[in-house]
């Protein structure tokens, strides 16, 4: 049965996102898509579906949602306080969402971009091969209260859980040198590697500005560099010497020099770092970068095999009466499945 | 004299073939022709290509494809001819885009003329008869950088930014013109207004222009502009194929 998920109230930056659009660079359009691509894969693994299904990306805070058919949702990415008809929901898990139940997703607890996935994906008409809003290009728009997104009734399995790769609090970001790195002196690049940056609150899907104590970073050639291709992850240094990590909705070309490029597998960590979080950059060799990226891709492929049951289904428990059921209760505030080092 | 082309790695996402370190007509033509040649090779590792003013980005997943091997293939294509002397590809499109110069629709025509050292009528005569080429698309979807205008138009960007110029605005600086895809703050001077749409995601072909296309901006008056209807999805413009 076809139905809809209606947004009853919306945070300031909700948008529909998928893997984005490829093939339009020559026309001036970057890929766009989810700021944290890994979260899209995690949601797909939890719901047992393809990673190109569209999900709602929620920057900083969520909203209130209601479906008119029974479905199953998954919550991934930045951890947010979520309740279903008042009962707390665990993040990084799949949950049944019955028709008429109220799903409330409040402010972020850790990270920046949370994702609300629905079984089968949101079935809006694709534009230019994708359902993503590309806000800087004017494709699609932010989601607002009273928007309804088409979904299908589904019996995907609720109560599944995934321990995500920790990426919500900044840290060390690996980068490779790129074609403009040599425009910066060795001393400048060394200082860049030693600097502790903080994510500036001015950050969006286009770019993340980095703050630091001390002088800015300047290229030898100054500002007279011919405009060149930009790829997501490029670390661009603007006129005032402040670096920006360029993200999924960056421009396709730019005239400010790039000191290097963040590895694609570390880009979700940059996207998710909350305002004020510390970020440091470590240059790795091409070989190390290829090894790290290959490992990360293998991990994403293996996500479905890492799905665990959140709460055991009574039908699966042969000796139900021998269980002390109450001790299995879980709270969204204390995450019993978190592994060490991943606490916000 | 043109410097020999260089090949560099772009992170883990591809290679950049560069034909110069500054905008020049031969380097832009070389990039246009070289990109066409690389596209024709149809290598399975290459997911897409794009040209900026003087270079060609060849998107290759360097995690799975060895950079040296792709570079060797690009060098083989580079060695085939003198790309700086390459002819412009055929089959490009020439667009005629009716334009209002000056008036309240394009309030910086007189200022731009003055900076260029021309009187306004001469400025309009030059801009409305210049035939310019799409040097590259970028910044916003389908947005063309057009050139090159005569040397007299080598005028700098203005110091401050104009808060916003509308979609279809024709702006100029540094011997180039841009038609804006959407409302944009800019340091370029707003000399003309068109009804042209660079990008329309509802159209079957969402982008009007391709690198290498040529454009002229014949002058129309304000009354004619107000009567313009949009005969196709790109706004009021006529086009013909450049043989």
């Amino acid at each position: 049965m076809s139905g809809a998920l209606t947004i009853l109230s919306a945070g300031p930056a909700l948008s529909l996102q998928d893997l984005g659009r490829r093939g339009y660079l020559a026309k001036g359009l970057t890929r766009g898509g989810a700021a944290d691509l890994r979260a899209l894969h995690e949601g797909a693994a939890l719901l047992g579906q393809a990673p190109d299904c569209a999900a709602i990306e929620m920057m900083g805070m969520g909203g209130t949602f209601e479906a008119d058919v029974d479905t199953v949702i998954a919550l991934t990415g930045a951890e947010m306080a979520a309740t279903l008809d008042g009962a707390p929901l665990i993040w990084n898990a799949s949950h049944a969402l019955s028709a008429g139940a109220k799903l409330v997703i409040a402010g972020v607890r850790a990270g920046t971009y949370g994702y609300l996935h629905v079984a089968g994906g949101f079935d809006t008409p694709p534009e230019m091969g994708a359902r993503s809003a590309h806000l800087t290009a004017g494709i699609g728009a932010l989601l607002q209260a009273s928007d309804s997104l088409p979904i299908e009734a589904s019996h995907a399995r609720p109560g599944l859980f995934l321990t995500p790769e920790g990426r919500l609090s900044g840290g060390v970001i690996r980068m490779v040198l790129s074609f403009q790195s040599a425009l910066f002196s060795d001393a400048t690049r060394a200082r860049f590697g030693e600097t502790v940056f903080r994510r500036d609150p001015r950050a969006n899907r286009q770019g993340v500005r980095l703050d630091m104590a001390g002088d800015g970073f300047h290229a030898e050639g100054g500002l007279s560099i011919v405009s060149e291709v930009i790829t997501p992850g490029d670390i661009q240094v603007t006129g005032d010497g402040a670096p920006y990590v360029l993200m999924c909705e960056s421009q396709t070309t730019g005239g400010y020099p790039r000191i290097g490029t963040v590895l694609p597998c570390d880009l979700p960590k940059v996207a998710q770092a909350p305002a004020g979080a510390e970020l440091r950059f470590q240059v790795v060799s091409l070989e190390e970068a290829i090894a790290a990226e290959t490992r990360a891709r293998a991990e994403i492929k293996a996500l479905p095999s890492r799905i665990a049951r959140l709460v055991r289904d009574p039908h699966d428990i042969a000796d139900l009466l021998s269980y002390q059921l109450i001790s299995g209760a879980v709270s969204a505030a204390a995450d019993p499945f978190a592994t060490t080092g991943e606490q916000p | 004299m043109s410097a020999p082309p260089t090949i560099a790695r772009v992170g883990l996402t591809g290679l950049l073939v560069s034909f110069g370190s500054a905008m020049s007509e031969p380097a832009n033509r070389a990039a246009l022709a070289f990109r066409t040649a690389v596209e024709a090779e149809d290598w399975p590792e290459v997911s897409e290509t794009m040209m900026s003013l003087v270079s060609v980005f060849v998107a290759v997943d360097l995690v799975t494809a060895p950079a040296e091997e792709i570079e060797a293939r690009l060098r083989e294509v580079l060695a085939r001819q003198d790309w700086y002397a390459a002819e412009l590809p055929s089959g490009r499109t020439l667009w005629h885009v009716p334009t209002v110069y000056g008036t309240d629709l394009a309030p910086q025509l007189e200022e731009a003329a003055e900076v260029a050292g021309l009187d306004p009528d001469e400025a309009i005569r030059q801009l409305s008869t210049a035939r310019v080429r799409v040097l590259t698309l970028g910044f916003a979807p389908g947005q063309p950088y057009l050139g090159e205008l005569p040397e007299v138009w080598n005028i700098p960007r203005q110091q401050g930014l104009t808060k916003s110029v509308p979609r279809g605005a024709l702006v100029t600086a540094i011997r180039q013109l841009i038609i804006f895809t959407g409302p944009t703050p800019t340091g370029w001077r707003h000399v003309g207004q068109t009804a042209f749409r660079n990008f329309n995601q509802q159209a079957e072909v969402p982008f009007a222009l391709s690198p290498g296309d040529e454009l002229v901006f014949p002058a129309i008056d304000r009354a004619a502009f107000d009567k313009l209807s949009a005969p196709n999805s790109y706004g009021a413009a006529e086009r013909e194929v450049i043989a």
Side-chain angles (χ1 to χ4, degrees):
Chain A
M1 197 172 90
S2 313
L5 182 99
T6 299
I7 301 175
L8 303 177
S9 72
L14 303 190
S15 64
L16 206 57
Q17 295 299 339
D18 55 19
L19 298 173
R21 296 170 180 82
R22 287 180 189 271
Y24 294 112
L25 277 186
K27 300 292 193 181
L29 180 65
T30 39
R31 187 188 69 211
D36 179 356
L37 285 175
R38 188 149 184 151
L40 270 195
H41 288 275
E42 290 167 350
L46 283 166
L47 294 172
Q49 61 199 27
D52 58 356
C53 287
I56 296 178
E57 180 176 280
M58 305 173 285
M59 184 180 178
M61 88 179 274
T64 306
F65 308 88
E66 185 185 295
D68 61 5
V69 290
D70 290 348
T71 185
V72 177
I73 57 159
L75 303 167
T76 67
E79 289 175 29
M80 298 168 138
T83 58
L84 184 59
D85 281 341
L89 290 181
I90 285 214
W91 209 257
N92 297 306
S94 67
H95 304 280
L97 179 67
S98 332
K102 279 217 178 28
L103 170 66
V104 177
I105 302 178
V108 75
R109 286 201 180 111
T112 294
Y113 293 100
Y115 293 85
L116 166 58
H117 310 256
V118 65
F122 292 102
D123 195 20
T124 57
E127 268 188 296
M128 297 168 62
R131 296 183 170 87
S132 290
H134 194 304
L135 302 171
T136 52
I139 302 174
L142 290 175
L143 297 170
Q144 293 177 343
S146 83
D147 283 352
S148 269
L149 301 170
I151 59 173
E152 292 288 326
S154 168
H155 299 286
R157 181 151 198 173
L160 299 179
F161 180 81
L162 184 65
T163 304
E165 185 209 40
R167 57 175 185 276
L168 302 182
S169 49
V172 176
I173 306 296
R174 291 166 295 182
M175 61 184 271
V176 287
L177 298 180
S178 192
F179 65 97
Q180 289 176 330
S181 302
L183 296 172
F184 296 84
S185 69
D186 290 349
T188 301
R189 291 203 318 247
R191 189 163 61 83
F192 188 84
E194 291 154 9
T195 301
V196 177
F197 296 95
R198 286 184 184 279
R199 175 177 167 141
D200 189 282
R202 281 167 291 176
N204 56 29
R205 294 171 45 78
Q206 240 180 318
V208 171
R209 186 184 155 102
L210 304 172
D211 295 326
M212 70 274 170
D215 295 341
F217 297 88
H218 295 282
E220 311 271 285
L223 298 176
S224 59
I225 294 161
V226 69
S227 275
E228 281 296 0
V229 61
I230 288 175
T231 57
D234 280 4
I235 306 169
Q236 178 187 63
V237 182
T238 50
D240 66 358
Y244 281 78
V245 182
L246 298 169
M247 305 300 285
C248 54
E249 279 190 13
S250 70
Q251 296 146 8
T252 50
T253 62
Y256 291 116
R258 268 62 62 62
I259 197 166
T261 303
V262 173
L263 303 196
C265 57
D266 280 5
L267 211 47
K269 217 168 168 178
V270 178
Q272 291 290 11
E278 281 187 10
L279 293 165
R280 282 179 298 122
F281 294 88
Q282 180 197 358
V283 175
V284 298
S285 69
L286 183 60
E287 293 68 32
E288 289 171 293
I290 288 172
E293 192 59 28
T294 304
R295 213 161 39 238
R297 290 182 191 182
E299 280 168 28
I300 283 174
K301 258 202 164 146
L303 281 174
S305 70
R306 290 185 37 228
I307 301 290
R309 303 243 181 100
L310 182 60
V311 179
R312 292 182 70 182
D313 184 333
H315 294 294
D316 292 338
I317 305 175
D319 50 346
L320 180 65
L321 291 176
S322 70
Y323 274 75
Q324 218 272 51
L325 290 169
I326 194 69
S327 68
V330 288
S331 137
D335 182 350
F337 298 91
T339 53
T340 50
E342 287 183 18
Q343 288 302 314
Chain B
M1 280 304 290
S2 304
T6 57
I7 300 182
R9 199 167 42 73
V10 181
L12 295 175
T13 56
L15 296 169
L16 185 75
V17 182
S18 182
F19 293 91
S21 54
M23 170 59 203
S24 77
E25 167 73 22
N28 179 260
R29 225 166 342 104
L32 181 62
F34 185 74
R35 178 182 176 231
T36 307
V38 172
E39 284 279 322
E41 292 294 325
D42 204 16
W43 293 326
E45 298 89 346
V46 174
S47 54
E48 58 188 304
T49 65
M50 72 168 265
M51 70 174 284
S52 34
L53 287 171
V54 294
S55 60
V56 176
F57 172 58
V58 180
V60 175
D61 178 14
L62 298 181
V63 177
T64 54
E68 306 75 37
E69 192 194 315
I70 305 295
E71 182 175 338
R73 283 193 236 164
L74 289 169
R75 291 213 179 278
E76 187 267 315
V77 179
L78 277 176
R80 280 181 205 165
Q81 66 176 88
D82 176 3
W83 294 94
Y84 297 99
E87 305 242 340
L88 289 164
S90 60
R92 293 168 299 124
T93 303
L94 170 62
W95 298 80
H96 301 263
V97 181
T99 303
V100 177
Y101 291 91
T103 80
D104 58 319
L105 289 179
Q108 291 176 299
L109 183 272
E110 293 188 358
E111 184 188 318
E114 194 185 325
V115 180
L118 302 169
D119 67 60
D121 287 345
E122 175 59 15
I124 293 173
R125 194 195 64 75
Q126 291 194 10
L127 293 174
S128 63
T129 54
R131 182 160 155 172
V132 287
R133 194 171 77 232
V134 179
L135 302 172
T136 183
L137 298 174
F139 191 77
Q143 184 165 296
Y145 288 70
L146 304 158
E148 283 190 297
L149 292 170
E151 177 58 38
V152 68
W153 289 98
N154 196 2
I155 63 173
R157 296 169 185 82
Q158 58 190 357
Q159 294 245 310
L161 284 185
T162 308
K163 243 187 206 155
S164 184
V165 295
R167 179 175 91 192
L170 185 68
V171 300
T172 190
I174 53 166
R175 294 183 70 184
Q176 293 177 32
L177 294 164
I178 297 173
I179 310 171
F180 278 128
T181 295
T184 313
T186 183
W188 294 40
R189 289 182 175 86
H190 185 187
V191 294
Q193 184 61 43
T194 76
F196 197 72
R197 285 190 75 169
N198 296 324
F199 176 57
N200 176 2
Q201 67 259 46
Q202 266 90 40
E204 197 177 325
V205 181
F207 305 92
L209 303 170
S210 297
D213 280 359
E214 296 185 13
L215 294 90
V216 285
F217 296 93
I220 56 170
D221 63 23
R222 176 69 200 263
F225 182 84
D226 289 341
K227 274 188 242 141
L228 278 183
S229 60
N232 63 46
S233 51
Y234 306 126
E238 286 175 20
R239 48 183 154 161
E240 57 187 283
V241 174
I242 304 171

